[in-house]
Amino acid sequence: MSNTQEDDKKPIDQEQEAHVILKVKSQDGDEVLFKNKKSTPLRKLMYVYCDRRGLKSDAFAFMFDGDRIRGTETPDELDMEDGDVIYACRSMSGGLRADQRQWSYMVFDHNRL
């Protein structure tokens, strides 16, 4: 009888190990919990988070342990465990694209020279 109970518990434990509960925390203090399979790419979590906030998926940079998360990475690859925090930071816009050139102009007062 005890063997049957142990066998019943094994699939539940394996099922729990296949998922990880992650917390996504934004700069304004909002926290959202996600239950994600360890083998599912994190782009799905990123997309759902941005969709809930009504923003484009490239509006945020997602950080874990100080490194930016790529959408192709999985929780298993990043060694994530239950309760780990992913920080959602607004992507900074601005700067120059590779095909733009920056011109700086200096105005000289030739009368003062």
Side-chain angles (χ1 to χ4, degrees):
M1 194 186 256
S2 62
N3 287 339
T4 328
Q5 290 175 351
E6 289 177 14
D7 291 340
D8 291 341
K9 290 182 182 180
K10 286 181 182 177
I12 294 171
D13 291 339
Q14 290 172 355
E15 191 174 301
Q16 288 176 347
E17 287 179 22
H19 289 87
V20 63
I21 297 175
L22 302 171
K23 186 186 303 184
V24 179
K25 191 171 185 177
S26 68
Q27 291 172 314
D28 56 359
D30 289 340
E31 294 180 357
V32 181
L33 294 175
F34 287 93
K35 184 176 180 181
N36 204 31
K37 287 184 181 179
K38 288 187 175 186
S39 59
T40 301
L42 289 168
R43 76 173 147 256
K44 185 175 179 181
L45 176 145
M46 299 156 115
Y47 176 78
V48 171
Y49 180 81
C50 291
D51 189 47
R52 286 184 185 176
R53 299 206 57 157
L55 299 168
K56 294 182 181 179
S57 60
D58 60 350
F60 287 95
F62 293 88
M63 308 289 287
F64 177 69
D65 283 342
D67 295 322
R68 189 170 183 163
I69 298 174
R70 293 183 310 233
T72 57
E73 294 175 313
T74 64
D76 202 25
E77 291 174 349
L78 297 175
D79 296 325
M80 291 180 166
E81 298 174 355
D82 281 344
D84 279 346
V85 178
I86 296 173
Y87 293 96
C89 308
R90 291 232 179 221
S91 292
M92 300 299 289
S93 61
L96 299 174
R97 294 189 307 250
D99 61 343
Q100 290 178 321
R101 293 196 176 109
Q102 182 178 9
W103 298 96
S104 65
Y105 296 95
M106 298 178 72
V107 178
F108 291 102
D109 184 2
H110 295 287
N111 296 328
R112 299 182 100 197
L113 294 176

